[in-house]
Amino acid sequence: MPPIQPTLELPELLYLFDPLCGWCYGMSPVIQRVRQEFAGRVEVSVLCGGMVMGEQVGPIRDDWDYISGALAQVERVTGVQFGEAFRAVGAEGSRVQDSAPPSWAISAFRHFNQPDTANFAHDVQVAYFRDGADLNEPKTYLPLATAYGLDGAEFLRQLALPETAQATQQEFAAVAKIGVQGFPTTILRVGNQGYVLARGYQPYETFADGLTQALEQAG
């Protein structure tokens, strides 16, 4: 049976996140399960928010005290695990944190395969938070993209295009215009109506109940 193709008629679940957001790392498995359990009922779209930009860009040591203190709470609440490789990156301290490069990669992937963008975004976070991968290096994304059947050279070409960076900046601006106070935020869009489903992390059962109720009310 061929996969269900998203259509303009389907309600759209907007997952507003940032690749460097630890709570988003915890929420992404919930979004992946929603894609499976609500297939044919909602279309899932990922928008990057630009959490670490401008003057905030800098070595991870600048924020490591805060980040390292939050890891245990994120693990306890969400069930995800932060890898020793990521902890080593934080302890070493020189890795530059910048939301733009991983957001460019997600934008480039979306160009080729919009339906799987939520899964790719999760893969990017796993590479970072579990494996300690350098998200500032284009080569980091090659195995992630080719795992979906993308041509590696074509993906890298798309990643390097000025249009990809421009589209990402527009994405950041669109998320800012929505008025998001933090990440992750999830919004159900039905026609011209938008319903905020969750601000922050929610376990799957809670989130699925809210999504079901919102769909019923919108329908």
Side-chain angles (χ1 to χ4, degrees):
M1 181 177 176
I4 297 173
Q5 294 298 317
T7 66
L8 293 177
E9 287 75 26
L10 282 180
E12 184 178 25
L13 182 65
L14 297 175
Y15 175 48
L16 312 180
F17 102 126
D18 189 273
L20 303 184
C21 166
W23 284 104
C24 299
Y25 176 50
M27 186 67 185
S28 285
V30 175
I31 299 300
Q32 288 182 303
R33 186 172 172 187
V34 167
R35 280 197 67 218
Q36 296 173 344
E37 301 291 339
F38 286 80
R41 297 176 63 191
V42 296
E43 176 184 356
V44 177
S45 297
V46 175
L47 293 178
C48 299
M51 184 179 75
V52 182
M53 297 293 297
E55 295 180 354
Q56 295 174 307
V57 173
I60 194 171
R61 70 168 63 92
D62 293 350
D63 299 305
W64 185 242
D65 284 348
Y66 169 77
I67 294 171
S68 60
L71 298 185
Q73 183 184 10
V74 175
E75 289 181 332
R76 183 176 65 253
V77 173
T78 72
V80 298
Q81 295 295 313
F82 293 91
E84 290 305 315
F86 172 70
R87 295 175 190 272
V89 167
E92 190 278 330
S94 66
R95 179 77 57 79
V96 172
Q97 288 206 108
D98 184 350
S99 291
S103 299
W104 296 338
I106 292 166
S107 180
F109 182 90
R110 185 190 294 121
H111 175 80
F112 297 103
N113 184 349
Q114 193 281 333
D116 284 325
T117 305
N119 282 355
F120 180 78
H122 177 65
D123 294 343
V124 169
Q125 291 205 295
V126 169
Y128 182 54
F129 286 119
R130 188 191 69 189
D131 303 332
D134 188 349
L135 299 186
N136 302 310
E137 287 289 338
K139 64 183 180 182
T140 293
Y141 306 102
L142 263 182
L144 308 182
T146 56
Y148 290 87
L150 271 61
D151 178 270
E154 280 298 301
F155 173 80
L156 288 178
R157 187 188 69 81
Q158 184 69 32
L159 178 57
L161 286 176
E163 290 83 354
T164 297
Q166 292 167 5
T168 304
Q169 288 299 325
Q170 292 170 356
E171 196 169 317
F172 292 165
V175 171
K177 188 175 181 180
I178 291 171
V180 174
Q181 300 300 311
F183 304 106
T185 295
T186 46
I187 297 172
L188 180 67
R189 186 161 66 184
V190 183
N192 294 323
Q193 299 296 314
Y195 308 84
V196 176
L197 294 179
R199 292 183 174 91
Y201 171 82
Q202 282 189 355
Y204 175 77
E205 290 74 15
T206 303
F207 186 83
D209 285 346
L211 176 56
T212 299
Q213 292 177 17
L215 289 170
E216 290 173 352
Q217 292 171 5

